[in-house]
């Protein structure tokens, strides 16, 4: 298992610490899991578990024209009238580009051991290909050095939906050349940062990007239809594999993986057509990513849809070993047959009465996280996993006495950490948990009106205020560091 002592070193000791990164093994997990039986007081998380926070570039950085950065598809989309619920955009967001040191200091004070951030492709290669923008990479240099000085592991995600607009103008994820464009961009990032950053995730939630950005059209770049979805999905899978192989050829000390959004899918009724629709939706959301990566094939129901795009060698390029899998988990979905739905005639159906929900209406089920991890254990070889996103949106009150009280979010996090402990106890290869998100941010099509952060951000003044969920996490992380592994 990836253990904290293996890679959370001070800047001066980074090289020595990262030499022990290959300790990411299921054998290491099994040894720890054997010591993690739940006591009467609650489930236990074993030693070596990594505690982190996640963000993404467009949602927090701001500074969209600074130091040579050019527009991404989300700049274009968010500036298109009617696309964002509250009419806002990511031009400033959390101003993390200028306030990163303050945010790293906050993480250090709270006891976070790792930080998963994304790199903005339009900062590094403003035109998508060609010349590398040194000033753009300078920002990530400063961020990484600050993290290491605070004894926080940097985990970089190469793509979190902010494709350079220049590449979208050349077809974006519909153009199969993007696999090589992505590999060139990834190479540039690792050439600059790979001496200090060891865990690298290729893509964030490719199925979600394909479904909402290229199928429904309510995310950037705003494209619609089944064929559009299929092309975006296959070329993301291909870029993911080519990217991993490219980086693995560059350095042997990297830990390479990718990030999928996974969720249990249930039929909204026991009618045969709803059961079949749920199976189709499960394929489009979950196994459309898992099967190519781990099994080297597309789900049988959709092989004919992907066949025209799959060229010789594609599936071998996609099925490459990964050192870890990032799992983003929020909750389950109930699905019904919908003849009008572009996504395999499957649409969102009625949620069972009494199911708790977040402000966005998302159903809540911590047991669903256990089910997701058990599926990876049983069907996909139990790969080493990090929960790279987990969190909830609620209507938070204004700050008072230096804190924002968010008991609903705290309860959500607690329940899901308990689920993590239970899954580990059942032999699932879970190595860490990254809360979504460190900061309230620009929440995609919802704009700034919906908040997921464990830190409140006043978007007018950029003041950061901890929420009670952050203080809970801090208490838990510090207790765990001293050997008290129970989830209180």
């Amino acid at each position: 298992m990836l253990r904290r002592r293996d890679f959370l070193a001070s800047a001066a000791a980074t090289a020595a610490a990262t030499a022990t990164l290959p300790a990411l093994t299921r054998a290491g997990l099994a040894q720890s899991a054997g010591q993690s039986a739940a006591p009467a007081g609650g489930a236990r998380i074993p030693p070596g578990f990594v505690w982190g926070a996640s963000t993404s570039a467009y949602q927090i950085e701001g500074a969209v024209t600074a130091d040579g950065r050019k527009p991404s598809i989300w700049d274009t989309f968010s500036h298109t009238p009617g696309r964002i619920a509250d009419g806002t955009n990511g031009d400033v967001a959390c101003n993390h580009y200028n306030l990163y040191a303050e945010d790293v200091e906050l993480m250090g004070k709270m006891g976070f051991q790792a930080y998963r951030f994304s790199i903005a492709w339009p900062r590094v290669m403003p035109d998508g290909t060609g010349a590398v923008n040194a000033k753009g990479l300078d920002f990530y240099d400063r961020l990484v050095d600050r993290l290491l000085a605070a004894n926080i592991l940097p985990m970089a995600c190469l793509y979190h939906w902010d494709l350079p607009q220049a590449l979208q103008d050349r077809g974006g994820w519909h153009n199969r050349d993007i696999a090589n464009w992505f590999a060139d961009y990834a190479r540039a990032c690792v050439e600059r940062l790979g001496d200090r950053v060891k865990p690298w995730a290729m893509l964030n939630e490719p199925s979600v990007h394909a479904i909402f950005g290229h199928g429904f059209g309510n995310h950037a770049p705003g494209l619609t239809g089944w064929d559009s979805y299929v092309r975006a999905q296959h070329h993301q899978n291909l870029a993911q594999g080519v990217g991993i192989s490219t980086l693995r050829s560059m350095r042997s000390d990297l830990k390479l993986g990718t990030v999928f959004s996974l969720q249990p899918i249930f039929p909204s009724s026991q009618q045969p057509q709803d059961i079949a629709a749920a199976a189709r939706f499960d394929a489009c959301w979950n196994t459309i990513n898992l099967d190519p990566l781990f099994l080297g094939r597309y789900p049988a129901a959709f092989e004919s849809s992907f066949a025209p795009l799959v060229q010789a060698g594609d599936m071998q390029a996609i099925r490459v070993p990964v050192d870890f899998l990032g799992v983003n988990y929020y909750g389950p979905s109930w699905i019904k047959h919908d003849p009008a739905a572009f996504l395999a005639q499957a649409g969102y159906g009625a949620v069972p009465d009494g199911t708790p929900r977040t402000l966005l209406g998302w159903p809540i089920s911590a047991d669903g996280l256990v089910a997701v991890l058990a599926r990876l254990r049983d069907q996909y070889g139990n790969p080493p996993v990090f929960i790279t996103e987990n969190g909830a949106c609620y209507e938070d009150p204004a700050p008072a006495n230096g804190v924002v009280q968010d008991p609903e979010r705290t309860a959500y996090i607690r329940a899901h950490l308990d689920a993590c402990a239970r899954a580990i106890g059942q032999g699932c290869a879970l190595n860490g948990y990254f809360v979504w998100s460190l900061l309230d941010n620009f929440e995609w099509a919802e704009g700034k009106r919906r908040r997921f952060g464990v830190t409140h951000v006043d978007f007018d003044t950029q003041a950061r205020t901890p929420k009670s969920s952050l203080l809970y996490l801090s208490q838990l992380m510090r207790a765990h560091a001293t050997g008290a592994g129970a989830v209180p």
Side-chain angles (χ1 to χ4, degrees), residues 241-323:
V242 173
I244 290 172
S245 295
T246 297
L247 299 189
R248 188 159 280 139
S249 72
M250 292 177 63
R251 299 185 66 107
S252 62
D253 59 345
L254 304 180
K255 293 294 145 186
L256 304 175
T258 198
V259 175
F260 297 156
S261 174
L262 302 177
Q263 58 178 270
I265 305 297
F266 303 110
S268 61
S269 81
Q270 290 306 302
Q271 295 296 318
Q273 62 180 7
D274 288 340
I275 293 172
R280 295 193 302 271
F281 193 93
D282 176 64
C284 292
W285 190 282
N286 294 315
T287 61
I288 210 77
N289 292 318
L290 292 167
D291 284 7
L293 176 61
F294 292 109
L295 306 178
R297 62 175 184 262
Y298 279 108
F302 299 124
E303 282 183 327
S304 61
S305 294
F306 284 86
L309 297 173
V310 177
Q311 298 185 11
D314 278 9
M315 300 316 294
Q316 292 85 348
I318 295 169
R319 188 185 186 185
V320 293
V322 290
D323 299 306

Side-chain angles (χ1 to χ4, degrees), residues 83-392:
R83 290 295 200 178
I84 308 302
D86 62 0
T88 61
N89 55 60
D91 288 3
V92 177
C94 304
N95 196 21
H96 177 73
Y97 191 80
N98 294 303
L99 299 178
Y100 72 93
E102 177 182 332
D103 295 333
V104 172
E105 182 181 12
L106 173 66
M107 283 189 281
K109 287 181 177 179
M110 292 294 107
F112 285 106
Q113 302 167 352
Y115 177 49
R116 173 190 167 243
F117 60 96
S118 75
I119 296 175
W121 193 338
R123 285 200 196 282
V124 176
M125 287 183 169
D127 294 313
T129 60
V132 175
N133 178 28
K135 287 186 177 180
L137 279 170
D138 286 348
F139 167 70
Y140 299 105
D141 251 338
R142 296 191 296 270
L143 173 62
V144 166
D145 286 346
R146 181 74 62 155
L147 289 165
L148 291 172
N151 203 29
I152 298 171
L153 170 77
M155 177 186 283
C157 182
L158 285 163
Y159 183 71
H160 199 129
W161 303 356
D162 51 350
L163 190 72
Q165 182 61 44
L167 293 188
Q168 187 61 43
D169 295 341
R170 298 166 67 180
W173 291 108
H174 287 178
N175 186 335
R176 84 174 268 122
D177 289 343
I178 200 168
N180 291 325
W181 299 339
F182 176 77
D184 289 343
Y185 154 65
R187 183 183 295 110
C189 292
V190 167
E191 284 176 347
R192 182 71 172 270
L193 303 172
D195 61 326
R196 286 154 292 151
V197 179
K198 301 306 174 183
W200 291 82
M202 300 301 105
L203 308 180
N204 179 79
E205 300 183 345
S207 69
V208 179
H209 192 39
I211 290 170
F212 291 102
H214 300 80
F216 285 125
N218 53 358
H219 279 191
L223 304 179
T224 59
W226 176 255
D227 290 342
S228 172
Y229 154 76
V230 169
R231 292 178 70 86
Q233 182 63 71
H234 179 62
H235 294 149
Q236 284 183 95
N237 285 341
L238 185 60
Q240 174 183 281
V242 173
I244 290 172
S245 295
T246 297
L247 299 189
R248 188 159 280 139
S249 72
M250 292 177 63
R251 299 185 66 107
S252 62
D253 59 345
L254 304 180
K255 293 294 145 186
L256 304 175
T258 198
V259 175
F260 297 156
S261 174
L262 302 177
Q263 58 178 270
I265 305 297
F266 303 110
S268 61
S269 81
Q270 290 306 302
Q271 295 296 318
Q273 62 180 7
D274 288 340
I275 293 172
R280 295 193 302 271
F281 193 93
D282 176 64
C284 292
W285 190 282
N286 294 315
T287 61
I288 210 77
N289 292 318
L290 292 167
D291 284 7
L293 176 61
F294 292 109
L295 306 178
R297 62 175 184 262
Y298 279 108
F302 299 124
E303 282 183 327
S304 61
S305 294
F306 284 86
L309 297 173
V310 177
Q311 298 185 11
D314 278 9
M315 300 316 294
Q316 292 85 348
I318 295 169
R319 188 185 186 185
V320 293
V322 290
D323 299 306
F324 69 91
L325 178 66
V327 171
N328 294 352
Y329 178 81
Y330 292 94
S333 288
W334 278 263
I335 299 300
K336 67 179 181 180
H337 176 68
D338 182 356
F342 96 88
L343 196 67
Q345 296 185 315
Y348 292 102
V351 176
D353 291 343
T355 303
R357 304 194 197 198
T358 69
L359 183 63
L360 290 175
W362 296 1
I364 301 170
S365 172
D367 289 342
L369 177 55
V370 181
V372 162
L373 296 172
R375 185 182 197 181
L376 293 174
R377 179 195 64 200
D378 297 341
Q379 297 182 25
Y380 296 100
N382 209 14
V385 167
F386 292 93
I387 302 304
T388 39
E389 289 184 23
N390 178 245

